[in-house]
Amino acid sequence: MGIVAGLDSSSDSTRIVVCDAETGAVLRQGYAPHPIEPAEGGGRPADVDPQAWLRSLGEAAGGGLLENVQAIGVSSQRNALVPLDRNGSLVRPALTGADRRAQTSAADLMDAFGGREAWVGAVGLVPQAAQPVTKLRWLRRTEPENADRTAFLMQAHDWLVWQLLGRPVRRTTDRGGASGTGFWSAATGSWRPDLVELALGHRTGLPEVLAPWEAAGTTPEGLLISAGTGETMAAAFGLGVGVGDAVVSLGVSGSVMAVHPEAVSDGGGAVTSLADATGMHLPVVSTSNAVRALRATAAMLDLEGPEALSELALKSTPGAHGLVLLPYLEGERTPNLPNAAGTLSGLRTESMRPEHLARAAFEGMLCSLADALDLLRGRGVEVRRVFLLGQAAELPAVRAIAPALFGAQVVVPQPADYAALGAARQAAWALGVAQGSPDPHRPPAWQGAMGQVLEPGDDLPVGQAVRRQYATVREQTHPGAFTS
């Protein structure tokens, strides 16, 4: 078929992989940081000039990296909103997913449309600070002149695709990216311009939503550009997850997502109903506390981070001698307990040892994510295999404990640029269709992620007992807060 490339423009850098279109074998790679000044305090900035993404892309692609490439796919950070005026010029810098200024606007929007259930019924999610619909409300409230000038809405990957194609009249996006905006429904496959108007005060132009195998266009040089997608969807595609697979991501906060043939949601908004990069659906459940709980426990025990905490935790036994940590240190999103604090239960003379607290931290974090998995299972989502992502997935304590608590085979993939690989696989798909693929609805059969495979085995009954212990404390402390 030829050679394709996938580029992932994340919040801080651009990564490019060049692959054989038929097998997915990586031929070349490129990397460049975004030329962006960090925010005050060292965090990620809330406002970014999108030209920084282009400069980073150009640097990453230097040295002839894209020579002989026939098609490119683009993945990018989710929730970055690029407002354009009627001439296609930037109204203001892009509002990134790291922006938390819109939290008050999220609550305002929720009330304005009739509450959580109304939002879930309309677009399969409840407004959060990071989402584009909420950023529009913030823009209207704090920068009304910019809100009035905004005539067209794009996300980061939409804007990058548009730039690569030379800013054509036609502007496009994909199902995956659209599904996280808060004004497109994964269940119906349609925009909700009325929600744009509710948030911004007026309607705007919105991109054409392409099917996963469709191309956004071809450059004058003949380079095919595929639809592009959000970073989450591209990573899932690059991993090769399918029905029966879930992905658990261990960051400061946590998330669980799984592939399902139909849109999945719940009335309370615990499940965010996203679309994936293949025509399927990608329900997501997020937690506010994951590695955050490990770091805090390590600091409490005067240890040098999660690695030392892991070593200590393995000196304890399953159940941590009765210690249970509910890791709701910054409130919690699942269950919906925004004002909660963490709880340590089961203190007895024999349990008040550092190794038991360390074990309780790992079990609490993983039980919280297992609750999220059960929430999906309770809505008909099949979970036979769990891909475990994030630096914490490398910790021996996580690998030892997770399979029995999740009740499924656990795969810890080898490190790779999975979002860029997913973008490249999408490019190969679009290229195959352009070359007359006999089955345009079937993506290229690239090998999925390789990694260490962990089975619950004989530890499954022990894991179930640990989960019952955790659930008892959770229900006693927060009655009725969580139902699967």
Side-chain angles (χ1 to χ4, degrees), residues 86-426:
R86 59 172 49 92
N87 298 316
S89 300
L90 288 169
V91 170
R92 68 178 315 283
L95 294 103
T96 70
D99 188 358
R100 292 294 181 268
R101 294 173 295 187
Q103 192 59 59
T104 301
S105 297
D108 184 26
L109 267 182
M110 197 180 307
D111 292 341
F113 194 61
R116 301 176 74 89
E117 289 192 10
W119 277 97
V120 170
V123 288
L125 56 79
V126 172
Q128 303 289 332
Q131 288 158 351
V133 70
T134 310
K135 298 182 192 305
L136 292 179
R137 186 72 158 194
W138 178 87
L139 194 65
R140 178 184 176 185
R141 293 177 61 177
T142 61
E143 301 178 7
E145 291 185 1
N146 285 336
D148 289 343
R149 290 178 55 217
T150 299
F152 201 94
L153 302 177
M154 303 185 93
Q155 293 188 86
H157 79 269
D158 309 335
W159 188 84
L160 285 167
V161 166
W162 188 52
Q163 297 296 318
L164 289 173
L165 290 171
R167 297 165 56 98
V169 173
R170 184 192 190 211
R171 303 173 193 179
T172 62
T173 189
D174 85 305
R175 298 169 65 254
S179 65
T181 60
F183 41 87
W184 188 86
S185 169
T188 64
S190 58
W191 290 113
R192 288 294 301 264
D194 58 316
L195 295 180
V196 174
E197 184 174 12
L198 177 70
L200 189 63
H202 62 91
R203 299 195 178 196
T204 66
L206 296 166
E208 176 187 347
V209 181
L210 300 177
W213 54 87
E214 288 187 292
T218 304
T219 68
E221 296 76 25
L223 187 63
L224 190 76
I225 310 294
S226 63
T229 194
E231 199 167 36
T232 300
M233 298 79 187
F237 197 32
L239 281 165
V241 299
V243 174
D245 292 331
V247 179
V248 173
S249 180
L250 299 175
V252 174
S253 55
S255 68
V256 175
M257 62 182 179
V259 177
H260 195 61
E262 300 174 349
V264 178
S265 63
D266 70 324
V271 180
T272 296
S273 182
L274 300 179
D276 80 344
T278 73
M280 303 283 277
H281 292 267
L282 201 65
V284 178
V285 180
S286 299
T287 66
S288 301
N289 303 275
V291 177
R292 171 182 283 122
L294 303 183
R295 291 176 179 168
T297 306
M300 183 178 179
L301 294 173
D302 199 25
L303 298 173
E304 292 293 328
E307 294 79 7
L309 190 73
S310 171
E311 183 178 349
L312 184 62
L314 291 177
K315 296 178 181 179
S316 181
T317 54
H321 277 246
L323 273 191
V324 174
L325 175 65
L326 301 184
Y328 306 156
L329 304 184
E330 297 288 338
E332 189 47 76
R333 182 172 174 184
T334 306
N336 184 31
L337 299 167
N339 300 313
T343 300
L344 184 63
S345 176
L347 289 169
R348 293 184 174 86
T349 303
E350 64 271 18
S351 66
M352 293 179 67
R353 296 185 58 81
E355 63 266 28
H356 302 325
L357 177 56
R359 178 93 186 195
F362 280 94
E363 290 181 346
M365 176 188 74
L366 293 170
C367 280
S368 177
L369 290 161
D371 280 350
L373 276 170
D374 282 353
L375 197 152
L376 293 179
R377 287 178 170 127
R379 280 150 184 79
V381 178
E382 184 180 9
V383 178
R384 298 189 307 270
R385 180 172 63 165
V386 174
F387 288 83
L388 201 54
L389 303 183
Q391 288 188 342
E394 303 293 329
L395 297 175
V398 169
R399 296 187 179 204
I401 298 170
L405 295 186
F406 292 163
Q409 182 186 83
V410 170
V411 179
V412 183
Q414 294 174 351
D417 296 328
Y418 287 109
L421 283 168
R425 191 178 178 198
Q426 186 195 67

Side-chain angles (χ1 to χ4, degrees), residues 17-72:
V17 294
V18 177
C19 303
D20 180 277
E22 186 172 356
T23 67
V26 176
L27 307 176
R28 302 186 291 273
Q29 295 178 273
Y31 166 83
H34 292 331
I36 296 171
E37 293 294 327
E40 187 175 347
R44 294 171 179 170
D47 296 330
V48 171
D49 182 351
Q51 292 296 328
W53 306 334
L54 282 180
R55 289 195 292 272
S56 174
L57 191 165
E59 184 178 346
L65 184 76
L66 300 181
E67 186 176 351
N68 298 323
V69 166
Q70 295 168 269
I72 292 180

Side-chain angles (χ1 to χ4, degrees), residues 430-440:
L431 180 63
V433 171
Q435 293 176 343
S437 169
D439 187 357

